[in-house]
């Protein structure tokens, strides 16, 4: 008698492939994967459904705490509903030392947090995003980084496009600190996109090569899906073949989202993208739901700089090219603020399996599941996650492959998907019959 038995399903394992089997779970672990019908205190009939490892989102933006008294948990429910059982927040240099508050917080999913370069700069007394770090600043950042890594941060994240004053030397010095901690990861939002994207990728590859740190390029589609994807992926592959420990992630959309007041929208951005003001849609505030004119854009950038906008500027065929590449895993880059934002936060993984696998045949189901499970698990050093295998953690997503699809839209970005039937986190149901339960068994992981 197991705590939970999952019968009649078809397992999707990133290594062993697709096969019919039953799963017995006890004490938060997969105890058996068997052809025999299994008994359990709780039984899930997965007839007609796929049973996969829980999805692992290596790049999202939950848990970025703005004040010591406010713990940002909005994103985690959206994660669970789209089949994510473990997620890594604090990306793009935005990770706050407050991530360690999650050690005591009950969550529906497991959580890892990056320490953000932006918070290190602030701690070192450098608040000018365009300012250069001096030797004393870097020394202070290195000390704070050491403390954060020892306290449980999964690594360090950079947001070079958001902090243009960051020098390559600053990148190198801090990455060397991370390299001294085996298994820790550096993730980086590149310095430039579009016309200068290859230059930006070259810088990241050099840093990874010189420091020998484990390196993750954030959302490579936002960087090079402007006509440079093929060459960018070739650079990534060549570096990997030469022994550089570097990988990338991508989200399955051709529009990005960020704060309108950020340096991403500095002068020259529209010429760089080959787009006009009407490529920008406003997510919140006075002009919510409207496409920009020059007047609207200038107004919100000056008066509502913390508001989210969406930029429809990328080429979807190049997004597909990124997702299909063997060195690229899938992530959401999800961030929702008070119910507003980009639909990737609630739809990325169902969109991968529904549109990109079933409808468009861009990649096969097992490969897609691997990009959402085992690849990010290995990148984050999660040795007991990412597979349906005896002895592994019972983080499992049960879905209907014929009906799974994202339903979140740019107008309704938090609408839950369909086809995600059950989500187990550490052996407990976070989602049952496509609805959240009250079981908060997620853990802070370091």
């Amino acid at each position: 008698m197991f705590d939970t038995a999952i019968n009649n399903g078809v397992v999707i394992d990133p290594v062993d492939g697709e096969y019919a089997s039953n799963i017995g779970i006890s004490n938060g672990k997969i105890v058996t994967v068997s052809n025999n019908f299994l008994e359990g205190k709780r039984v899930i009939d997965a007839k007609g459904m796929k049973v996969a490892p829980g999805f692992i989102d290596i790049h999202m933006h939950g848990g970025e705490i703005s004040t010591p008294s406010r713990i940002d948990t909005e994103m985690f429910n959206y994660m669970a509903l789209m089949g994510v059982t473990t997620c890594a927040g604090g990306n793009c240099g935005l990770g706050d030392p407050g991530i360690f508050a999650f050690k005591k917080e009950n969550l529906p999913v497991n959580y890892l947090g990056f320490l953000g370069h932006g918070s290190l700069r602030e701690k070192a007394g450098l608040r000018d995003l365009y300012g250069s770090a001096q030797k004393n600043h870097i020394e202070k950042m290195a000390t704070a980084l050491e403390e954060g890594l020892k306290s449980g941060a999964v690594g360090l994240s950079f947001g070079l496009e958001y902090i243009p004053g960051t020098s390559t030397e600053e990148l190198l010095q801090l990455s060397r600190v991370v390299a001294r901690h085996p298994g820790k990861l550096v993730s980086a939002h590149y310095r430039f996109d579009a016309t200068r994207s290859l230059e930006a990728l070259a810088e990241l590859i050099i840093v990874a090569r010189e420091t020998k740190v484990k390196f993750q390029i954030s959302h490579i589609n936002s960087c090079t899906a402007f006509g440079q994807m093929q060459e960018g992926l070739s650079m990534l592959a060549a570096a990997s073949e030469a022994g550089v420990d570097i990988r990338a992630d991508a989200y399955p959309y051709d529009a990005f989202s960020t704060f309108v007041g950020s340096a991403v929208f500095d002068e020259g951005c529209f010429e760089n993208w080959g787009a006009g003001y009407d490529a920008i849609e406003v997510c919140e505030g006075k002009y919510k739901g409207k496409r920009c004119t020059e007047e609207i854009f200038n107004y919100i950038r000056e008066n509502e700089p913390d508001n989210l906008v969406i930029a429809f500027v990328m080429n979807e065929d190049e997004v597909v090219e990124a997702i299909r590449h063997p060195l690229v895993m899938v992530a959401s880059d999800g961030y929702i603020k008070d119910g507003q934002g980009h639909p990737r936060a609630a739809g990325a993984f169902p969109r991968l399996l529904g549109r990109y696998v079933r409808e468009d045949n861009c990649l096969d189901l097992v490969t897609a599941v691997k990009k959402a499970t085992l690849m990010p698990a290995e990148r984050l050093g999660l040795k007991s996650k990412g597979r349906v295998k005896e002895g592994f953690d019972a983080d499992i997503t049960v879905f209907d492959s014929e009906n799974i699809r994202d339903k979140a839209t740019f107008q309704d970005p938090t609408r839950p998907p369909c086809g995600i039937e059950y989500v187990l986190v550490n052996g407990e149901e976070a989602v049952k019959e496509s609805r959240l339960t009250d079981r908060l068994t997620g853990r802070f992981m370091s």
Side-chain angles (χ1 to χ4, degrees):
M1 177 71 71
F2 299 98
D3 292 344
T4 300
I6 305 175
N7 290 316
N8 302 319
V10 174
V11 168
I12 307 292
D13 181 76
V15 176
D16 294 336
E18 185 171 351
Y19 59 95
S21 196
N22 304 317
I23 301 168
I25 296 165
S26 287
N27 299 316
K29 294 285 185 179
I30 298 172
V31 178
T32 188
V33 181
S34 170
N35 290 327
N36 297 324
F37 185 85
L38 304 176
E39 299 288 342
K41 298 173 186 175
R42 181 191 303 114
V43 177
I44 295 173
D45 183 1
K47 185 176 181 180
M49 291 184 277
K50 310 296 187 184
V51 183
F55 306 143
I56 298 172
D57 193 346
I58 196 172
H59 187 113
M60 53 83 72
H61 287 282
E64 290 158 5
I65 299 169
S66 55
T67 68
S69 61
R70 179 179 178 268
I71 297 181
D72 175 16
T73 59
E74 183 179 3
M75 274 294 303
F76 299 109
N77 287 336
Y78 308 135
M79 290 279 112
L81 285 166
M82 67 172 171
V84 173
T85 56
T86 301
C87 54
N91 285 280
C92 299
L94 301 175
D96 190 284
I99 58 172
F100 305 118
F102 284 99
K103 289 183 177 181
K104 300 178 181 179
E105 187 78 4
N106 294 321
L107 299 170
V109 297
N110 300 309
Y111 180 76
L112 303 98
F114 284 95
L115 198 58
H117 175 229
S119 70
L120 295 181
R121 272 192 153 220
E122 286 190 13
K123 198 164 187 177
L126 184 57
R127 290 178 172 81
D128 180 3
L129 302 180
Y130 299 86
S132 299
Q134 305 304 309
K135 183 179 178 181
N136 65 308
H137 293 131
I138 294 176
E139 288 174 350
K140 290 178 181 178
M141 284 190 271
T143 298
L145 176 57
E146 285 276 3
E147 293 172 356
L149 293 171
K150 290 176 182 177
S151 296
V154 70
L156 169 65
S157 76
F158 288 99
L160 303 180
E161 196 173 18
Y162 294 111
I163 308 178
T166 307
S167 66
T168 302
E169 182 60 26
E170 188 176 346
L171 264 173
L172 286 164
Q173 294 283 11
L174 294 177
S175 294
R176 288 190 180 107
V177 174
V178 180
R180 294 198 293 266
H181 295 258
K184 299 294 185 178
L185 182 64
V186 170
S187 75
H189 177 135
Y190 41 81
R191 191 180 298 276
F192 309 115
D193 60 16
T195 57
R196 298 183 69 183
S197 60
L198 301 182
E199 174 189 344
L201 291 181
E203 179 184 32
L204 301 183
I205 290 169
I206 289 168
V207 170
R209 183 191 68 195
E210 294 301 310
T211 63
K212 296 179 171 57
V213 74
K214 186 163 62 168
F215 204 99
Q216 184 79 7
I217 297 173
S218 296
H219 41 62
I220 194 169
N221 52 319
S222 294
C223 182
T224 56
F226 301 83
Q228 301 83 20
M229 182 63 72
Q230 185 174 1
E231 192 169 351
L233 292 172
S234 295
M235 290 170 62
L236 183 65
S240 179
E241 289 168 9
V244 180
D245 191 357
I246 191 165
R247 299 289 186 272
D249 51 71
Y251 53 88
Y253 295 83
D254 61 0
F256 74 77
S257 177
T258 193
F259 303 102
V260 71
S262 74
V264 171
F265 295 103
D266 280 357
E267 187 175 353
C269 65
F270 292 104
E271 293 80 2
N272 181 42
W273 300 326
Y277 290 99
D278 61 350
I280 308 301
E281 184 172 311
V282 185
C283 294
E284 53 184 331
K286 180 178 179 180
Y287 292 103
K288 176 184 174 181
K290 293 186 178 297
R291 290 293 182 112
C292 281
T293 60
E294 183 176 1
E295 181 182 8
I296 290 174
F297 178 80
N298 290 335
Y299 175 88
I300 59 176
R301 190 153 158 81
E302 181 177 351
N303 298 289
E304 300 176 350
D306 293 333
N307 284 1
L308 292 169
V309 295
I310 295 166
F312 296 86
V313 293
M314 293 183 280
N315 301 323
E316 186 171 17
D317 58 340
E318 292 183 89
V319 176
V320 173
E321 189 177 0
I323 287 174
R324 294 180 65 177
H325 196 275
L327 296 178
V328 178
M329 58 207 73
V330 174
S332 75
D333 192 19
Y335 178 69
I336 293 290
K337 183 175 68 171
D338 299 325
Q340 305 304 316
H342 192 298
R344 61 194 177 188
F349 293 95
R351 183 178 177 86
L352 169 70
L353 300 180
R355 177 172 178 176
Y356 284 70
V357 173
R358 184 184 65 244
E359 296 176 7
D360 294 348
N361 296 309
C362 296
L363 66 172
D364 65 84
L365 181 57
V366 174
T367 299
V369 167
K370 181 178 181 180
K371 287 175 173 289
T373 57
L374 185 58
M375 286 179 69
E378 291 176 341
R379 208 75 195 129
L380 293 165
L382 305 176
K383 296 180 180 179
S384 63
K385 297 187 186 297
R387 294 195 61 191
V388 178
K389 185 178 179 181
E390 293 176 2
F392 274 57
D393 295 342
D395 293 346
I396 292 174
T397 294
V398 180
F399 63 93
D400 181 347
S401 62
E402 295 301 315
N403 291 305
I404 188 171
R405 70 179 187 277
D406 58 308
K407 296 178 73 175
T409 66
F410 291 98
Q411 293 72 40
D412 188 3
T414 64
R415 192 177 180 190
C418 62
I420 301 285
E421 301 295 334
Y422 295 88
V423 180
L424 275 63
V425 178
N426 297 309
E428 295 291 331
E429 292 174 330
V431 173
K432 179 180 180 180
E433 298 175 351
S434 302
R435 296 180 180 275
L436 288 168
T437 69
D438 58 358
R439 295 187 176 95
L440 301 176
T441 58
R443 301 168 186 161
F444 178 90
M445 307 182 69
S446 58

